[in-house]
Amino acid sequence: MKILFMGTPDFAVFSLDALTEAGEDIIAVVTQTDKPQGRGYVLTPSAVKRRAQELSIPVYQPKTLRDEAFAELLSALDPEMIVVAAYGKILPENVINYPKYGCINVHGSYLPKYRGAAPMQRAIIDGEEYTGVTIMYMDVGLDTGDMLAREEIAIGPDDDFEVIHDRIGKTGAALLVKTINDIKDGRAVREKQDDSLSTYAAKI
C-alpha cells in the first residue's frame, strides 16, 4: 500500500519511524515549510523533514494544500492511504477523500474528549488522571471522524508534558501500525464518536 505521510513536529516522528520499521511503503512526506527559530531567526526544518531526509524519503513543503499545484502533486504521487500526525494545517476535502483506503489521523487524546490543537497539554492542565490516543478516519470536521482504535494512557501526578508527549507518541505509533494492518486485512471497525461527550482543546 502506497502511503503519503503528513506531519511536522517530534510527535509525528514516532509514527513515521514505526511505519518505516514495519516495512510500509512511504512514498513521500508532506511537512510544513521551514520556520525561523532562535535569536537569529534561522530557517529551521521540521523534525519530520529532518527524519525523512535521514530515511531518504522525498519531502514536500507546500505553502497551501488548497491550490492546483498540490492537487497535481497528489495526483502524481497517487497514494492509496494518507496518514496524518500533527501536520498543523486543516486538510481540504479533496485531499481527505483522495486515497482509496482513506485518510487516517493519529490524535493525542482519547476521543471524543479533547478535540483540537492541544489535547495533551489541556489534559495535563485540567488535572486528568487519564488521557489517550486515537486512530481515526479524517473528515471535514475538527477531529470528528469515525474512530478505528483507541488506547487509554495514565497521567501520573508527576508527569509533565514531555513525559506524556513521548508516551502518547510511542503508543500511537504502535497502534497506527496495528490499525493499518487491520485495514489491509478487512478487520478494521469504524466507530462513530458521541459528539455529546466531546470537549475542545484550544491551542496554547
Side-chain angles (χ1 to χ4, degrees), residues 60-88:
Y60 298 92
Q61 296 176 275
K63 291 182 178 180
T64 178
L65 305 178
R66 299 180 181 276
D67 61 8
E68 186 62 31
F70 188 75
E72 290 175 359
L73 174 62
L74 192 62
S75 179
L77 292 171
D78 197 26
E80 295 172 280
M81 174 183 284
I82 297 175
V83 172
V84 180
Y87 174 61

Side-chain angles (χ1 to χ4, degrees), residues 21-196:
E21 290 165 11
E24 296 293 350
D25 182 14
I26 310 299
I27 56 172
V29 160
V30 171
T31 189
Q32 290 207 35
T33 54
D34 297 358
K35 298 291 192 291
Q37 292 185 4
R39 287 186 174 183
Y41 290 94
V42 177
L43 279 178
T44 304
S46 71
V48 164
K49 179 180 179 179
R50 294 193 300 271
R51 185 62 180 137
Q53 289 175 331
E54 291 170 357
L55 295 168
S56 299
I57 300 172
V59 177
Y60 298 92
Q61 296 176 275
K63 291 182 178 180
T64 178
L65 305 178
R66 299 180 181 276
D67 61 8
E68 186 62 31
F70 188 75
E72 290 175 359
L73 174 62
L74 192 62
S75 179
L77 292 171
D78 197 26
E80 295 172 280
M81 174 183 284
I82 297 175
V83 172
V84 180
Y87 174 61
K89 289 184 178 180
I90 295 174
L91 273 60
E93 191 170 4
N94 68 300
V95 175
I96 292 172
N97 293 335
Y98 184 91
K100 175 182 177 181
Y101 291 98
C103 185
I104 66 174
N105 182 40
V106 183
H107 182 75
S109 82
Y110 197 78
L111 288 172
K113 289 191 75 172
Y114 296 109
R115 296 172 177 172
M120 292 177 278
Q121 296 96 324
R122 293 297 177 186
I124 295 168
I125 290 169
D126 292 349
E128 299 281 2
E129 293 183 359
Y130 288 89
T131 182
V133 63
T134 304
I135 312 299
M136 57 179 284
Y137 278 115
M138 296 186 73
D139 62 15
V140 293
L142 181 64
D143 301 322
T144 55
D146 291 351
M147 301 178 295
L148 288 160
R150 291 184 294 173
E151 189 165 330
E152 280 194 337
I153 294 168
I155 302 176
D158 298 320
D159 288 343
D160 60 12
F161 172 72
E162 184 177 357
V163 169
I164 296 304
H165 170 277
D166 289 359
R167 191 177 295 159
I168 291 177
K170 291 172 184 175
T171 302
L175 196 59
L176 171 66
V177 171
K178 180 182 181 301
T179 302
I180 289 175
N181 286 331
D182 287 345
I183 291 171
K184 289 178 182 176
D185 295 340
R187 296 192 304 264
V189 178
R190 302 175 72 128
E191 178 186 356
K192 290 197 175 298
Q193 295 187 46
D194 184 345
D195 292 338
S196 69

